[in-house]
Amino acid sequence: MNADLFRTVMVPIADPDDARETARAIRTYLSPNSEIIVTHVVPKGEGVPDKASVAQRKDFAQDAYENFLNVLAADKSRITPLTLYGRDVTDTIIEGALETDTTTIAFTPRGASRWTKLITGNISESLIRNSSVPVLVLPPQEEYEPLE
């Protein structure tokens, strides 16, 4: 693959388990010079009270970042955690990618039932359709050996 495509990669993660799975999937594609912006979006409702406090949301994001970093232990110096806040997760990821000069958005699709996707929308599909930044959907990696 073109090394420029992986110069600055934004990697959205939903939760700690997704972070671990996504880190496993992306590590084989990274070049030695790749910069990674691992991001978690905290959804903000307009005029709607949040279900969790800001501190709880930050702790949740931190747990996810730690799981991501643990898989890519040897590459920690090239990884920047970035928490984004927005009403629409897809738009927030795309805006964050543009603001950080991301060359690629890379993620593993999250499992959800058709009913859930119908009700909540499909973030994966929306990213692919709406992003002006290239989007790479990574296949899951079932097993891995931690990098030394």
Side-chain angles (χ1 to χ4, degrees):
M1 289 200 179
N2 185 338
D4 285 346
L5 192 61
F6 286 94
R7 186 184 72 234
T8 306
V9 183
M10 177 166 279
V11 183
I13 55 174
D15 57 49
D17 291 336
D18 179 54
R20 193 173 19 260
E21 182 179 327
T22 302
R24 284 183 216 152
I26 198 169
R27 73 185 197 158
T28 59
Y29 298 98
L30 299 174
S31 75
N33 299 321
S34 296
E35 293 294 326
I36 303 164
I37 300 168
V38 58
T39 188
H40 175 74
V41 176
V42 175
K44 299 299 287 178
E46 197 168 289
V48 177
D50 287 335
K51 295 177 184 175
S53 71
V54 173
Q56 289 171 318
R57 301 256 187 202
K58 285 182 180 179
D59 288 345
F60 184 80
Q62 189 59 41
D63 289 345
Y65 297 143
E66 286 174 14
N67 281 356
F68 189 88
L69 291 167
N70 286 340
V71 173
L72 298 176
D75 300 319
K76 285 183 181 178
S77 65
R78 300 177 307 151
I79 301 170
T80 303
L82 176 66
T83 303
L84 301 171
Y85 300 86
R87 284 189 59 200
D88 182 282
V89 173
T90 301
D91 289 345
T92 304
I93 292 169
I94 293 169
E95 288 168 14
L98 293 172
E99 289 173 9
T100 57
D101 293 325
T102 295
T103 54
T104 303
I105 299 169
F107 67 94
T108 55
R110 288 130 186 98
S113 70
R114 287 184 186 181
W115 180 249
T116 301
K117 289 178 183 179
L118 179 66
I119 302 276
T120 64
N122 185 332
I123 294 171
S124 299
E125 183 179 328
S126 184
L127 265 177
I128 293 165
R129 288 180 188 248
N130 298 315
S131 180
S132 59
V133 175
V135 176
L136 179 64
V137 179
L138 302 166
Q141 300 295 316
E142 296 302 320
E143 297 192 20
Y144 76 102
E145 292 294 324
L147 297 175
E148 300 294 324

